[in-house]
Structure formats: C-alpha cells, structure tokens
Amino acid sequence: MKLRYGTGEHEVELLGFDADAIHVRIDGRELAATLDPLADGGAILAFDSRRFRILGARRKGAITVAVGSSNYDFVSVEPGTRSGRRGLAAPEITAPMPGKVLRVMVKEGDAVTAGQTLVVLEAMKMETSLAAESAATVKRVLVSEGEMVDHGAVLVELSPAAPAGPSDSQGEREAR
Amino acid sequence: MRARKFKKLLIANRGEIALRIIRTARMTGLKTVAIYSEADARSTHVAAADDARLVGPAEASKSYLNIAAIIAAAKDSGADAIHPGYGFLSERAEFVRAVDAAGLIFVGPRAEVMAQLGDKISARKIATQASVPVVPGIETADLRAAREFGASAGYPILVKAAAGGGGRGMRVVESAANLGDALETAAHEAESAFGDGRLFIEKYLARPRHVEIQVLGDEHGTVAALGERDCSIQRRHQKLVEESPAPNFTQTTRDAMIDAATRMAQAAGYTNAGTVEFLLDGSAFYFLEVNARLQVEHPITEIRFGCDLVAEQLKIAMGERLGAISDPRGCALECRINAEDPGRGFSPATGAVIQLRTPGGPGVRFDTHLAQGVEVGAYYDGLLGKLICSGATREEVRRRMISALDELAIVGVTNTAGFLREVIASDAFARAELSTRFLEEHFPTGPHHDSERDTAALIAAALVAKDRLGSRDPQESDGARDSIEHSPWTEMPKFELWRTR
C-alpha cells in the first residue's frame, strides 16, 4: 500500500509474520522487526537495535499513529488516484490548518498573479496569507469571511491563467 | 470594596485550567460552577464541577467571552464569586466591572489596576515611576514616527499591540523597508484581537531571555514575590517550556529583579496573583509587561514554594492576609503540550482523543482535561496539557521530563510532545543555552529527522490498515466494539504467515 505523510509518499508492504518477526518491505527495502503486542492495543516494535512503543488507529479516512510520544498522520493513497491535473502548481487553495476565514481578497473570474494573496486565515492567534502559486483565474470561491474551516478544506479553486485579452478569458468561461 | 467570604465559585474558563481551579476550590470546601459552550457540553471540566451552565455557541465571542451570559450563569446558579482563569476574559477590566456591578467577587486584581496594567503605555509609565527599567520604545501607528524611532534605536524593532499580550499582533521588523506592511498587519491583528488598533514599537533585543517573577498581593497592602520562572523557549512569542529557578542567573540579578517586580506591583496597587515579565539581556533586565492573572506556567512555582497558587488567590479574594512564604526548594520544569503539528510548521491540529497514555511517578504532574473521546476543535486555544516535573537538580528534572514524555502518548490529536522531547534531550537545553531564539537557532526546521522512527511509524500505519494494531476513532464507531473480544490480536493467530493482495 502507498502511504502519504506530509509531502512524502512511501510504499509499504507487509510480507508476513513468523515466530520471531514481522517482515516488511518499505520503498523496496526489506526489513525484519520484532513485534510484541501490548494490552493497551499497542505494541513494542524493535529493529536495528532501536525499540519503539507504537499505538495507532484509523481516523476519518486517515491512519494516525504514535511512536513514543511522536504523532504521525498518514493518508492511504490508492493507486491511480493521484491528481493528474496539469497546468497549475496548485489548482485548489486549501486550508493548511483549521481556522477562521478572516478575509477573502478575490472573487470569481479574477485574474491573479503568482504570489498574490487570495485568502487570509486566522488560526493559532496568527494571520496566515494564502497565495496563488502561479498566475491563474479564480474559478470558484467556496468560503466567505467569518467562516470556520477545517484542515484541508478547499477555499478557492483556480483555473489556468488566461493569456492577456478579454476574448481569451471569455474562452475560459465557455470551457467550463 | 473589602472582599468577603464566598461559598460558590463560577469558573469562567474551560480546558485544563478550569479543571485545575475546580480541584482547588473543591479542596477548600467551595461549591463550583462550570460554564461551557455548545462545543464543550461533554467536556471534563463540566463533569468535574458541582454545577454547570451553558453560556453560548462554540464561537468564543458568543460563549466564553460573553460577559452578560456568564454573569447570568453566576446569578442563576447562585455563585457569589468568579475565577477567570487565564486567557478569555481574565484580563478584561470591563469584565471585572461587570462582576463588581453584579455584586459578585472577582478573583483577581481590581478593574482599574487591570486596566492600567493591560495598557502597555500606562504600564510602562508605572514602571518608569517605580524605577523599573524598560526597553526603549514609543507608542505610534504612524509610519514616519516609526521610521524615526527605527533609525535612532536601530533595527530590528518590534511592533506590537498596545493592548493585550500573548504574541498577538506582534511583528519583528528587520529593516525600514518592511515597516509599512508590519504596521498595517499588526494594527489589523490588534484591532481584531483586542478591539484596539493602537501599536507600540520598541527596540528588539537580539537574544534575550524571558524571565518573570510571580507576585501575590493581598487587600492589606502586602506584596510577596515567589521567585522567578525562565520561559525563554518560545515559538512566535508563545511559551513552550518553562523552568524555575532560571539557570545561570546570579543571586544579585535575581534579587534585583524580585525587587523591581515587587516595586512594580506595589506601585500599581496590585492585588491577587500576577506576574511581572522581564527580558533579560546579560545581567541587564527590562520590564516587559504585567500579566494580571494566573499564568499557564504557575505550577512550577507551586512546586518550588510548596503552595497552591489558586488557593492563595481564593484566600486573598476573601480578604485574608498573606501568610508566610516558605523558601523555594529544588527545580521544576514544565512542557506545554499543544495540539499542533511540529512537522508542518506547528499548524493547529484537531481531532478526538482515541487513546491516551499518561505519565506518572514521583515528581511528575500532568495537568490536562484530556480523556479518551475528548474532542479538540479549532475554536479554542490548543493547549492539551502541561507536563510538569520536579526534583533536586536541573539535570534530574530534565531526565525525568524525557522519561515522562516517553510515557506520554495522545493518539488522535497531533501534538508537540515528541518535539518537546527532542528539545529537552538536546545538548543545547542540557547546557541551558537559553534565549527566546532557542528554537530558531537549534530547531530551525522543527523536529529533527529520525529515519528509524519514521520507519516504525510506517510499519505501525500498515499494521493499522490491516487491523493488526490499535483502536478506532470513537467519532467513527458507535463505541460498541468490545476491545477484548475483537482485539486484533485475538482475531488472527499471531504467527500466521500471510501476504498482502
């Protein structure tokens, strides 16, 4: 299975268990580790002379684990569902953290330039400006000011920037 | 107004601090009333109190900041005193006035004292009059005046809200070119956070330490200082690790700072618990602000002085005289466990606690409102708990903290515990090389990469995916799943050889 953590993707395969060990293949590399279950639903996982206390659970379509006191949130990536959209570095502007939409700086149809602020979020007592990664046209604005949003919520959808000229932006609209 | 005895205390707060105050109030024989928002109806502090009142919807401005609803809750429940905790309304003079007007006792300083100290400009004035040193600075939101100040004081300079604290509206400006943008953003944050867009600009000290003095003042004019706390390890001006005593702090400087804090509190006519914050630069220190309330990090002072600061607050509010303060003993260290993802720039995390493993043992205290199933949302501050360790020496306490952090696990809410373990275990922390730039200098990209731990995490995730590890999110299941009968370990023979796909 393919697991994504942050920006990294890893291929993990459980090859099997035997009397002493669990066998896995991670990104092509095989590894044997000992796995001793614990009463709390967790386990002790040991390999390469390191010993880790692991806990884990499913959570809203994701998998969350704790190794010692460190947390990891994984998303299982199904083969073939990776975003194939081209033309834009980021076709959707999503909330990097849960918070409140403080300001929406654009409206549908606006042409934006790379680095232009689209939405300002307030979270953790700080304002965070979310900007377009490349020149684009605002396709949809999905939030309004004052709204609370969760981590990963789509705030603004972008379509590739239309070359200069009113006829071209018209063409973009028709293409929808 | 002379304070008097009260019998029923309303705690105008939530989370760990509400629980902490309820514990002491019950210990002293008071009845307690919790308040809660719609998002917190099933919270720990609601269960711990004798009585609880709904004060509004999830949004803090309509619940925990809703003065009218909170006063009504106090009246309705028969409470005769209100403890504000920290954050929320704890430093709003208008709240104190409303409590007074309702004929209730406010556990904290008087409204006019709070108003004076809450305003950075008038607080500086009091400090200057009391011969307490202050950092050079001016109040202005005007670009030209700010430029002039920057040119004379030298960059970097700090732009911050004249009202309030806690890092909101604070910006470090490295050069005159960035000043205009910084003024605009800071004014906006100050306006939205405190309803007051006034700004204060001061010289930014490059590598200061943050050291603060705990004070207690009674209604009879006595002020006592309960030593210092070093809170230098901060991120975005928010404290993450606090310790007492401050390491590498000479008795001469300590005495001078305690003296200055006491003068400040006396000059302000301060009553109840408060903290005088300083920036320490070498052996020179400068007054920063007074926090006119109980601090998050108060437990490390309690441990060293063998006292209960909430109990002291209640006694003072009842008009009792301050008793003798014992001499401090040993060392104490606190780590704030926040719902933030250190691997993603400390962005806030949300979720429900699926599993909780808490540390224990001698010298370990964990102040938390967490329990399995407790939801951590985006509405409030993400403090999950405070892990406090104590012992005879700093090194003993440091090792105890590492061990306690190893025991702690909060599954379901990504948090800073793992990162703080790295911080506490680092050589720089062991050598007490403390400054407010500690994290920037030693952990510029957040947690250090540990490829073996990452591998362990991947294996754990794969085991969860195959139902061979762990429990389910209580938000997803109906809770009927019997953990013993349906344990992944009993469902499958352990030594079965099997393959994916």
Side-chain angles (χ1 to χ4, degrees):
Chain A
M1 82 187 68
K2 226 178 209 122
L3 293 169
R4 190 167 64 216
Y5 171 66
T7 51
E9 270 183 23
H10 301 276
E11 183 73 45
V12 187
E13 235 181 306
L14 290 178
L15 302 174
F17 288 81
D18 63 28
D20 306 310
I22 168 177
H23 296 274
V24 295
R25 183 156 52 217
I26 298 175
D27 298 327
R29 176 176 160 254
E30 283 197 26
L31 180 88
T34 61
L35 183 73
D36 296 306
L38 299 170
D40 64 2
I44 301 286
L45 182 70
F47 58 91
D48 294 351
S49 73
R50 298 271 304 265
R51 188 172 177 272
F52 298 100
R53 204 163 159 186
I54 59 173
L55 283 169
R58 290 174 201 277
R59 181 199 166 195
K60 286 183 188 165
I63 294 168
T64 183
V65 305
V67 181
S69 53
S70 295
N71 298 73
Y72 292 77
D73 283 315
F74 293 97
V75 180
S76 179
V77 187
E78 299 299 327
T81 58
R82 252 193 289 177
S83 172
R85 275 194 262 186
R86 270 160 303 189
L88 274 181
E92 289 173 346
I93 301 298
T94 56
M97 57 189 82
K100 182 177 167 185
V101 178
L102 215 55
R103 272 165 286 163
V104 178
M105 320 276 280
V106 290
K107 57 183 191 308
E108 289 177 20
D110 281 2
V112 295
T113 55
Q116 183 177 336
T117 299
L118 308 178
V119 174
V120 181
L121 269 190
E122 186 189 55
M124 292 305 289
K125 307 177 177 179
M126 292 288 289
E127 289 187 18
T128 306
S129 298
L130 304 174
E133 285 186 20
S134 54
T137 304
V138 177
K139 192 170 151 193
R140 270 194 332 146
V141 176
L142 293 100
V143 291
S144 49
E145 293 181 359
E147 199 173 310
M148 297 294 299
V149 292
D150 266 329
H151 171 238
V154 179
L155 311 176
V156 175
E157 283 179 9
L158 299 173
S159 46
S167 60
D168 283 312
S169 71
Q170 188 63 38
E172 167 61 26
R173 250 173 238 130
E174 281 167 9
R176 286 208 318 238
Chain B
M1 189 189 76
R2 179 53 51 92
R4 55 181 160 76
K5 294 271 181 206
F6 47 86
K7 293 194 174 72
K8 197 167 188 180
L9 181 72
L10 180 138
I11 296 92
N13 218 299
R14 64 181 298 283
E16 72 87 20
I17 193 60
L19 190 58
R20 182 265 132 299
I21 295 163
I22 290 167
R23 283 174 176 153
T24 292
R26 289 172 63 95
M27 179 271 290
T28 59
L30 293 174
K31 291 281 179 201
T32 54
V33 183
I35 61 164
Y36 62 97
S37 72
E38 283 166 8
D40 279 342
R42 299 188 298 166
S43 291
T44 315
H45 75 279
V46 173
D50 298 300
D51 195 355
R53 289 288 185 280
L54 177 68
V55 289
E59 207 169 0
S61 63
K62 293 171 182 156
S63 49
Y64 296 106
L65 294 172
N66 186 343
I67 294 176
I70 292 169
I71 300 287
K75 289 284 194 190
D76 183 57
S77 60
D80 44 8
I82 296 185
H83 193 306
Y86 53 67
F88 293 127
L89 294 168
S90 63
E91 292 185 277
R92 298 265 185 99
E94 59 177 307
F95 180 54
V96 185
R97 284 186 206 108
V99 174
D100 291 345
L104 308 171
I105 291 170
F106 181 78
V107 182
R110 293 190 304 276
E112 66 272 18
V113 173
M114 184 180 281
Q116 274 196 319
L117 293 174
D119 184 279
K120 285 194 171 62
I121 287 94
S122 62
R124 268 174 76 96
K125 207 171 283 170
I126 297 170
T128 311
Q129 283 162 4
S131 307
V132 174
V134 295
V135 179
I138 54 162
E139 186 212 331
T140 187
D142 175 61
L143 184 55
R144 184 179 298 174
R147 280 217 169 106
E148 274 171 23
F149 175 78
S152 69
Y155 287 90
I157 60 176
L158 189 67
V159 177
K160 56 187 188 183
R168 297 192 79 155
M170 233 183 239
R171 286 282 183 286
V172 177
V173 184
E174 303 286 348
S175 73
N178 309 327
L179 198 49
D181 282 352
L183 288 176
E184 200 173 305
T185 314
H188 187 271
E189 279 191 21
E191 182 66 47
S192 71
F194 309 111
D196 181 347
R198 285 178 308 139
L199 296 180
F200 193 81
I201 301 176
E202 66 184 22
K203 181 164 175 58
Y204 183 65
L205 304 172
R207 297 183 78 253
R209 286 164 64 182
H210 175 118
V211 181
E212 59 188 30
I213 305 291
Q214 174 71 52
V215 296
L216 287 174
D218 68 17
E219 310 269 340
H220 312 277
T222 304
V223 172
L226 284 79
E228 81 280 10
R229 295 183 288 253
D230 187 313
C231 316
S232 298
I233 300 192
Q234 305 185 351
R235 183 187 49 75
R236 294 188 209 135
H237 307 287
Q238 305 268 3
K239 299 161 189 169
L240 294 184
V241 177
E242 299 103 346
E243 62 181 297
S244 185
N248 309 322
F249 194 49
T250 65
Q251 192 59 43
T252 314
T253 314
R254 175 179 293 115
D255 290 343
M257 192 181 280
I258 284 175
D259 240 41
T262 308
R263 282 201 304 276
M264 182 74 200
Q266 274 164 342
Y270 197 84
T271 52
N272 218 290
T275 294
V276 188
E277 296 188 329
F278 296 94
L279 288 176
L280 177 68
D281 192 22
S283 62
F285 58 84
Y286 306 97
F287 168 73
L288 196 59
E289 61 185 28
V290 174
N291 289 139
R293 54 171 163 82
L294 190 67
Q295 296 276 89
V296 174
E297 61 273 22
H298 72 275
I300 59 175
T301 298
E302 294 184 321
I303 286 168
R304 290 196 65 227
F305 284 83
C307 67
D308 178 333
L309 284 172
V310 174
E312 295 300 324
Q313 285 191 292
L314 297 175
K315 280 194 252 174
I316 290 167
M318 288 184 181
E320 290 185 28
R321 287 177 186 276
L322 270 179
I325 307 289
S326 62
D327 287 333
R329 288 182 57 190
C331 292
L333 175 63
E334 174 181 282
C335 282
R336 295 192 190 186
I337 315 298
N338 289 320
E340 293 170 8
D341 188 347
R344 259 182 262 174
F346 295 92
S347 61
T350 54
V353 178
I354 302 167
Q355 201 166 356
L356 180 65
R357 189 176 68 213
T358 55
V364 177
R365 166 173 166 185
F366 187 43
D367 278 18
T368 185
H369 60 294
L370 292 189
Q372 193 170 322
V374 166
E375 284 177 38
V376 178
Y379 287 101
Y380 316 112
D381 181 88
L383 183 64
L384 299 177
K386 307 181 308 206
L387 183 53
I388 304 124
C389 291
S390 56
T393 65
R394 185 176 191 266
E395 185 55 18
E396 179 188 321
V397 175
R398 194 181 71 87
R399 290 197 190 148
R400 180 164 284 149
M401 181 63 83
I402 293 169
S403 178
L405 283 166
D406 279 338
E407 286 182 51
L408 175 67
I410 304 164
V411 181
V413 187
T414 300
N415 64 81
T416 52
F419 173 65
L420 291 171
R421 188 211 185 275
E422 286 186 45
V423 170
I424 303 300
S426 70
D427 290 342
F429 185 79
R431 290 193 300 262
E433 292 170 4
L434 301 175
S435 90
T436 56
R437 318 269 319 232
F438 183 93
L439 292 184
E440 285 165 64
E441 287 172 1
H442 299 287
F443 294 87
T445 55
H448 293 148
H449 187 63
D450 179 344
S451 61
E452 284 168 340
R453 196 180 62 205
D454 293 350
T455 297
L458 280 166
I459 296 171
L463 289 167
V464 172
K466 295 289 174 195
D467 281 330
R468 303 203 61 137
L469 181 76
S471 43
R472 277 171 200 279
D473 188 338
Q475 284 182 329
E476 288 203 342
S477 72
D478 57 5
R481 191 180 152 95
D482 184 317
S483 62
I484 305 271
E485 271 177 38
H486 297 282
S487 157
W489 307 111
T490 52
E491 273 170 15
M492 292 190 205
K494 190 192 169 192
F495 303 129
E496 176 197 21
L497 187 70
W498 54 283
R499 286 185 176 274
T500 53
R501 237 184 285 189

